[in-house]
Amino acid sequence: MSTQASSDGESQVDYTHTPWLDPSATPFIQIKNINKQFGAFTAVSDVSLDIYKGELFALLGGSGCGKTTLLRMLAGFEKPSSGSILIDGVDMGGIPPYERPVNMMFQSYALFPHMNVEKNIAYGLKREGVAKAERTERTKEILNMVELAEFAKRKPHQLSGGQRQRVALARALIKRPKVLLLDEPLAALDKRLREQTQFELMNIQEKLGITFVVVTHDQEEAMTLATRIAVMDKGNFEQIGTPAQIYENPRSRFIASFIGSANLLECTVVEREGNMYSVSQSSNSQAILVEYDGDLSIGANVTVAVRPEKIRVEKRSAVSSAVADGHNQLNGIVKEMAYLGRLSTYHIVTENDVMIEVTSPNQARYRDGNHPIDWDDEVTINFAPQSAVLLTE
Amino acid sequence: MNQKKSKFLVSCLIFGYAFLYIPIFLLIIYSFNYSPLLPVWGGFSTRWYTRLLESPEVWSATALSLQIAFISATVATVFGTLAGLALARLGRFRGKTVFTGMISAPLVMPEVITGLSLLLLFITLWQLTGWPEQRGMMTITIAHITFAMAYVAVIVQSRLAGTNQALEEAAMDLGAKPLRVLTDITIPMLAPGMMAGWLLAFTLSLDDLIIASFVSGPGSTTLPMLIYSRIRLGLKPDINALATILIVSVAIGVLVAGWIMLRQQKQRALLANQ
Ligand SMILES: Nc1ncnc2c1ncn2[C@@H]1O[C@H](COP(=O)(O)OP(=O)(O)OP(=O)(O)O)[C@@H](O)[C@H]1O
Ligand SMILES: [Mg+2]
């Protein structure tokens, strides 16, 4: 993602800014061993997390995994059962929501139905005691930023979903909080508007330099938006890392299948040469070579994870000799095929009866409509040992 | 078969409504009867209304009733709103269900019992503290507040249960302290419910006879009490006129309250579709 390297002005983002790698950097938000019980039910269990200034941090996870609960604890609506939260070095324990340097954009937007757009947006400034003239000025400014100037006098129910969402964003931004919390900000929008708004969000975040914490259950959205992602499951963090780290180096089977899709093959280690492991699914099946930096003993149970787009598929009659060198190569038959325009997805059953999903870009144009690889074709698939990951959890 | 059934249902309906409304219509019609003898129609006239307006007794009873209704409705709205708020927003606590049930008990309590118990309360209070020295407008107002409050609380509570608590949290998130949240967000959201509650309380107070009879004293006669006492002296047409006025004002109150609630329901449906 780091193509521009411009040095003029502060508004330009530094894509190489990676404070989480710097041990001397102080985190802006420190979540320390936070635990939240609702009666006997544990919604968030003993999580710790550091978020740095200017990050756009995503909390990603399935429904009911505790994302909203964690966000509400940051905002002050929910009290942690144990543990502490520090924002900019200040312990938030006992500080009510209306005194925290944090604003939240609600999942349902929560626009005040009896106030018009302008009043909704200016509400935070009014409560802060900002003088009327400045209030009007700043409201106008932010209305322009979210392109809603002509809707200033409308009531929320007279707006479209996307417009409401921008009002909610403007209302949460106008106080220039140190941290902006966004609970599924784009969930109510259709796909096109969502993608467009994702970029708007990123632009705004870059422009204002506010630290964003975004909750989402849409992994693509998290990948697009975030500097780092924490993947949550049942109140725990499964993995924390940059989108690329999480996608390319999933820590567990759960992550590998939750983020994107992956072929998961249950194997045992049969041989090792340096960091090149040879694993196989059963004693009589073909060995698979995987590069792995950890230390595993012969006979250990592992899972091989390969992303569908990292596998090449070719008709067996047309296998090019250039491929094979050092790559894993398996024979199979196409059981299902879906043409998606940009790419095609194949479900291929290998000789030892394992179903493997492969996606490949449709580089050539099939003018007669006939796909070069079709149902029931005999094919060969191959992937590099570096393209697969060994998972032990 | 089906048509027969529906005919049967329709006649049931007509009979039911006739049973309900014919007496009222009769009363209204007789209030315009020239003849002082009830069953004899002596032609259309408004003379009973004129007579009514000339009676100082009627004027003072009306003034008293209106004052009591206004004060008790207003106070009941404030207290009822607070009670409804507390019940809806206090979160879960031990015995919440019991409390919620208890607030609506006055709605089903026989008025005779409410009246009697309030009378006992005032007498006990008088013995203990010397207050109230005399029963009258003050005691009637207090009695009306207690039972009208329950109606308001129930209306407010149901209104709150249907609203989005996120609105209040959003206000707090933007820097509003709890009291500010109440005045900026909660009260405006509740306004239609409070309005409906006020009108209902006003109407209830205006047409209450039983409770008022228990707790009133000499010299404090409300309009329904006046009507009742006059009727005991024999049916007179001017009472029909008075009753007609009462019916019309109560009907207007109920209609406006109903209209407000209907509008508020529609608004809520609109917001829910957001
Ligand atoms: N006030 C509460 N009382 C009891 N349980 C609660 C409460 N709030 C949340 N929970 C439970 O805590 C768990 C986590 O809830 P949370 O709202 O954080 O989920 P989420 O990750 O935001 O899910 P979603 O993606 O569906 O919004 C859920 O199982 C939920 O039922
Ligand atoms: Mg949620």
Side-chain angles (χ1 to χ4, degrees):
Chain A
M1 15 184 353
S2 61
T3 46
Q4 295 134 277
S6 155
S7 55
D8 55 2
E10 295 173 331
S11 65
Q12 210 63 36
V13 205
D14 181 7
Y15 286 106
T16 57
H17 180 62
T18 53
W20 51 89
L21 297 178
D22 177 4
S24 68
T26 24
F28 196 63
I29 304 173
Q30 287 168 280
I31 296 172
K32 292 181 180 167
N33 303 98
I34 283 287
N35 203 72
K36 179 67 192 179
Q37 306 274 141
F38 290 112
F41 177 77
T42 308
V44 173
S45 78
D46 201 31
V47 302
S48 295
L49 174 65
D50 289 339
I51 299 173
Y52 295 85
K53 199 171 172 62
E55 266 200 89
L56 204 166
F57 196 93
L59 293 171
L60 176 64
S63 191
C65 69
K67 307 179 296 288
T68 298
T69 307
L70 187 59
L71 210 63
R72 289 171 60 81
M73 286 193 281
L74 284 169
F77 299 128
E78 220 71 77
K79 227 179 104 177
S81 305
S82 67
S84 62
I85 295 173
L86 275 73
I87 296 177
D88 204 7
V90 181
D91 191 339
M92 289 290 124
I95 298 185
Y98 45 88
E99 281 168 11
R100 296 194 179 199
V102 168
N103 282 132
M104 179 148 163
M105 183 179 158
F106 287 74
Q107 191 161 0
S108 55
Y109 304 153
L111 300 179
F112 307 132
H114 55 292
M115 298 183 195
N116 65 22
V117 167
E118 206 173 44
K119 291 225 170 80
N120 259 285
I121 293 177
Y123 187 79
L125 292 182
K126 198 168 168 188
R127 290 285 71 83
E128 211 178 62
V130 173
K132 178 117 203 254
E134 189 190 338
R135 224 155 62 203
T136 321
E137 189 55 39
R138 278 169 71 177
T139 307
K140 217 180 253 166
E141 194 182 305
I142 207 145
L143 272 170
N144 285 330
M145 189 176 88
V146 295
E147 291 166 19
L148 282 174
E150 72 232 69
F151 300 103
K153 299 288 180 211
R154 292 229 195 145
K155 288 276 180 69
H157 68 89
Q158 297 165 317
L159 298 176
S160 76
Q163 289 161 348
R164 270 183 220 144
Q165 181 262 330
R166 299 210 298 272
V167 177
L169 181 64
R171 189 180 68 177
L173 278 173
I174 198 162
K175 288 183 78 179
R176 305 200 187 124
K178 290 180 179 170
V179 179
L180 185 69
L181 307 171
L182 304 101
D183 194 356
E184 314 223 0
L186 313 178
L189 306 184
D190 67 44
K191 192 171 154 56
R192 238 171 54 84
L193 198 53
R194 188 158 68 221
E195 282 169 4
Q196 183 190 334
T197 319
Q198 278 169 6
F199 288 105
E200 275 174 26
L201 263 187
M202 288 166 78
N203 280 334
I204 287 168
Q205 197 264 346
E206 285 161 14
K207 217 184 287 176
L208 303 180
I210 294 171
T211 306
F212 277 30
V213 181
V214 183
V215 159
T216 175
H217 61 245
D218 177 345
Q219 50 107 356
E220 243 176 78
E221 185 171 296
M223 304 274 291
T224 315
L225 286 174
T227 50
R228 283 192 305 154
I229 299 174
V231 184
M232 284 187 85
D233 184 35
K234 298 192 194 103
N236 283 301
F237 290 148
E238 276 289 313
Q239 189 170 1
I240 300 169
T242 63
Q245 271 169 355
I246 288 181
Y247 191 77
E248 304 295 354
N249 286 310
R251 203 181 63 80
S252 64
R253 293 179 186 89
F254 171 80
I255 298 282
S257 50
F258 186 76
I259 308 289
S261 54
N263 295 295
L264 298 179
L265 310 171
E266 301 300 324
C267 294
T268 47
V269 176
V270 290
E271 226 185 296
R272 173 183 181 179
E273 240 186 84
N275 60 358
M276 193 63 83
Y277 285 81
S278 173
V279 300
S280 84
Q281 288 174 278
S282 59
S283 52
N284 56 355
S285 72
Q286 188 188 337
I288 299 171
L289 287 177
V290 182
E291 211 177 270
Y292 180 68
D293 290 331
D295 198 22
L296 292 171
S297 51
I298 306 293
N301 289 321
V302 291
T303 301
V304 176
V306 204
R307 301 278 182 201
E309 76 280 4
K310 300 201 192 310
I311 306 175
R312 279 178 58 119
V313 57
E314 278 172 303
K315 256 194 177 154
R316 205 169 307 162
S317 51
V319 175
S320 55
S321 52
V323 166
D325 207 25
H327 280 213
N328 294 296
Q329 200 167 344
L330 300 166
N331 290 332
I333 289 172
V334 177
K335 279 286 166 213
E336 304 223 27
M337 200 285 294
Y339 172 75
L340 305 174
R342 194 155 54 94
L343 28 90
S344 293
T345 300
Y346 309 92
H347 285 182
I348 293 160
V349 174
T350 63
E351 280 166 345
N352 50 341
D353 234 19
V354 180
M355 212 276 291
I356 295 203
E357 187 185 329
V358 179
T359 56
S360 77
N362 293 320
Q363 281 175 328
R365 182 170 161 228
Y366 314 125
R367 257 177 294 189
D368 52 3
N370 286 333
H371 206 277
I373 299 175
D374 221 330
W375 298 65
D376 295 328
D377 276 352
E378 294 197 335
V379 291
T380 297
I381 58 175
N382 72 77
F383 58 91
Q386 293 79 17
S387 297
V389 186
L390 279 191
L391 302 173
T392 54
E393 278 181 52
Chain B
M1 167 73 203
N2 217 340
Q3 225 169 10
K4 250 192 205 161
K5 203 175 179 179
S6 75
K7 258 187 197 157
F8 172 71
L9 284 178
V10 168
S11 35
C12 278
L13 203 72
I14 291 174
F15 180 76
Y17 274 89
F19 197 72
L20 273 173
Y21 284 97
I22 284 182
I24 295 178
F25 276 120
L26 274 180
L27 189 145
I28 294 176
I29 290 167
Y30 275 120
S31 76
F32 293 104
N33 185 5
Y34 183 83
S35 162
L37 297 170
L38 255 189
V40 185
W41 182 253
F44 180 86
S45 132
T46 54
R47 72 167 172 149
W48 306 118
Y49 287 90
T50 325
R51 158 104 60 106
L52 210 58
L53 296 181
E54 285 161 0
S55 153
E57 233 183 340
V58 171
W59 276 112
S60 70
T62 309
L64 182 72
S65 269
L66 285 177
Q67 277 179 58
I68 292 175
F70 186 84
I71 298 172
S72 66
T74 307
V75 178
T77 303
V78 174
F79 285 176
T81 304
L82 291 176
L85 266 174
L87 281 177
R89 285 290 186 260
L90 220 55
R92 268 172 295 176
F93 59 89
R94 266 175 84 101
K96 178 169 178 176
T97 324
V98 178
F99 272 101
T100 312
M102 271 167 67
I103 193 107
S104 50
L107 311 189
V108 291
M109 190 81 80
E111 288 183 342
V112 182
I113 296 184
T114 312
L116 186 61
S117 60
L118 283 165
L119 177 60
L120 284 175
L121 172 79
F122 290 133
I123 291 174
T124 318
L125 266 179
W126 174 72
Q127 275 176 340
L128 291 178
T129 66
W131 182 92
E133 232 168 278
Q134 230 187 11
R135 290 191 294 280
M137 181 177 153
M138 173 67 96
T139 48
I140 300 175
T141 309
I142 292 176
H144 282 182
I145 289 171
T146 35
F147 87 98
M149 207 180 106
Y151 285 87
V152 179
V154 169
I155 292 177
V156 165
Q157 197 196 346
S158 71
R159 166 88 177 140
L160 268 179
T163 59
N164 192 351
Q165 201 165 351
L167 290 181
E168 290 166 352
E169 286 180 346
M172 204 179 278
D173 185 66
L174 292 166
K177 296 195 171 71
L179 202 64
R180 217 50 249 198
V181 175
L182 193 71
T183 57
D184 282 359
I185 309 298
T186 317
I187 299 285
M189 271 193 324
L190 287 181
M194 287 167 66
M195 192 87 137
W198 189 90
L199 273 169
L200 200 62
F202 188 83
T203 324
L204 284 170
S205 165
L206 208 58
D207 75 9
D208 165 65
L209 168 66
I210 299 172
I211 296 176
S213 309
F214 271 98
V215 298
S216 75
S220 58
T221 309
T222 63
L223 206 49
M225 283 165 74
L226 181 75
I227 295 175
Y228 188 67
S229 68
R230 291 250 183 123
I231 284 171
R232 285 203 303 195
L233 302 175
L235 286 171
K236 287 217 195 94
D238 56 345
I239 290 303
N240 289 342
L242 188 57
T244 303
I245 293 175
L246 204 60
I247 289 169
V248 171
S249 38
V250 167
I252 289 175
V254 170
L255 280 178
V256 173
W259 178 72
I260 289 176
M261 286 207 266
L262 200 76
R263 212 182 52 161
Q264 145 194 354
Q265 247 164 23
K266 274 192 198 147
Q267 257 177 9
R268 206 184 304 176
L270 240 164
L271 276 180
N273 284 337
Q274 264 194 20

